[in-house]
Amino acid sequence: GWNGTIESPGFPYGYPNGANCTWVIVAEKGNRIHIVFQSFAVEEEYDFLSLYDGHPQPANFRTRLTGFTIPPPVTSSDSIFSLRLTSDFAVSAHGFKVAYEELRSSSCGNPGVPAKGIRNGTQFNVGDKIRYRCVTGYVLDGHSLLTCVTSTAGVSVWDFPVPICRAEDTCGGTLRGSSGLISSLGSSRECKWTILADPGDTISLVFTEFQMEEKSDYLEIEGSKQPTIWLTGKNIPASVISNKNWLRLHFVTESNHRHRGFRAQYQGKTQLLH
């Protein structure tokens, strides 16, 4: 069907223990599938909803969701998308409800609204623009204006990621330009950075310093081939290369050592088309 909803068994009264449920959504060839979460409550770190970009096989694994925060919308890269719910043999939670729809080739799909954010614009086809802003007390990190464009591969995509709204008293910001530095040194709290390159480009991130207290400090990176990278400890990590034209860094520290943290250089790379 062109659209529909999927609910976990027993929703909203709780899914069974020992569940292993798989849903496969099949669209017309050439169309993609867009999924919007309407409700999400899955026992954190014990029960999981795994998403697969295609049939539910390890090679197609995209990400694993758990906890009580509604995830952002997801768009498949082809005409098949799968979800798998697995639960352990103890506590359960309300479960999830998702709405899915087929995207015609000219549609980018609803990109969603970030927490504490406001979106203007309700059309999501090629050429359409939407604008974001944040509620009072929050600042916008990322690009406020998104345009639905056709990529070099002929797929309809938003030219930038959905921005985030960051509390005014937290550190971080939006970084642009072909290269630059990021440092958490001297910060004793939470920081969020968004690095943006031009549409079609990628970003490489090279660490030059890395000193973190395991269990109390970590750096989370989104936007690379792996859905999420978690870094901690004293070893300088390998370079990170973005999948698209953005990377998002989330640094959290509970220690009071101002000499701990990381320093990294980023560089935008133009993709050469063969």
Side-chain angles (χ1 to χ4, degrees):
W2 274 96
N3 54 53
T5 57
I6 295 173
E7 295 179 354
S8 53
F11 180 85
Y13 303 107
Y15 49 84
N17 294 325
N20 185 354
C21 308
T22 304
W23 297 264
V24 180
I25 306 167
V26 181
E28 282 183 19
K29 208 161 180 58
N31 288 349
R32 291 170 299 152
I33 298 153
H34 186 67
I35 287 177
V36 177
F37 288 88
Q38 297 178 340
S39 183
F40 192 83
V42 173
E43 190 199 4
E44 197 151 10
E45 296 307 331
Y46 290 98
D47 301 341
F48 300 97
L49 181 66
S50 300
L51 305 183
Y52 296 86
D53 206 350
H55 285 289
Q57 297 156 351
N60 297 331
F61 174 77
R62 181 138 162 193
T63 189
R64 194 168 74 159
L65 304 171
T66 187
F68 301 91
T69 305
I70 290 188
V74 179
T75 304
S76 68
S77 53
D78 217 332
S79 57
I80 296 173
F81 195 82
S82 306
L83 304 88
R84 174 172 287 158
L85 174 70
T86 51
S87 63
D88 68 357
F89 292 93
V91 186
S92 102
H94 296 307
F96 70 87
K97 181 177 182 179
V98 301
Y100 67 86
E101 63 170 335
E102 274 195 47
L103 289 187
R104 288 187 168 88
S105 57
S106 61
S107 175
C108 285
N110 180 347
V113 183
K116 306 294 183 186
I118 298 164
R119 185 185 68 212
N120 292 91
T122 54
Q123 301 294 311
F124 312 127
N125 295 317
V126 170
D128 289 330
K129 297 178 188 292
I130 55 174
R131 188 177 287 279
Y132 289 94
R133 57 193 170 91
C134 299
V135 300
T136 306
Y138 288 78
V139 291
L140 186 132
D141 274 352
H143 218 65
S144 61
L145 184 70
L146 271 61
T147 306
C148 181
V149 297
T150 305
S151 73
T152 49
V155 179
S156 305
V157 292
W158 294 107
D159 58 349
F160 287 100
V162 174
I164 58 171
C165 292
R166 174 173 54 84
E168 283 177 346
D169 59 353
T170 54
C171 77
T174 304
L175 302 163
R176 304 171 194 270
S178 56
S179 63
L181 296 170
I182 297 183
S183 173
S184 72
L185 303 177
S187 172
S188 58
R189 51 200 171 141
E190 186 179 16
C191 303
K192 289 180 181 177
W193 295 271
T194 301
I195 309 172
L196 294 178
D198 289 331
D201 291 0
T202 59
I203 299 158
S204 67
L205 185 70
V206 179
F207 291 94
T208 54
E209 288 182 50
F210 201 88
Q211 282 282 327
M212 295 206 193
E213 199 65 54
E214 285 192 47
K215 297 194 175 143
S216 62
D217 307 335
Y218 68 87
L219 176 67
E220 179 187 11
I221 303 175
E222 287 179 76
S224 69
K225 203 153 201 159
Q226 289 170 263
T228 308
I229 297 173
W230 290 78
L231 301 172
T232 188
K234 306 269 192 304
N235 296 330
I236 290 186
S239 302
V240 175
I241 296 173
S242 70
N243 218 5
K244 296 182 181 168
N245 63 325
W246 59 276
L247 280 176
R248 196 157 269 157
L249 283 69
H250 181 197
F251 171 68
V252 174
T253 179
E254 292 173 17
S255 58
N256 295 321
H257 301 285
R258 290 184 167 265
H259 302 296
R260 292 225 171 94
F262 74 92
R263 197 189 296 269
Q265 297 175 319
Y266 68 87
Q267 189 162 10
K269 293 182 184 290
T270 302
Q271 294 299 290
L272 298 172
L273 299 173
H274 297 291

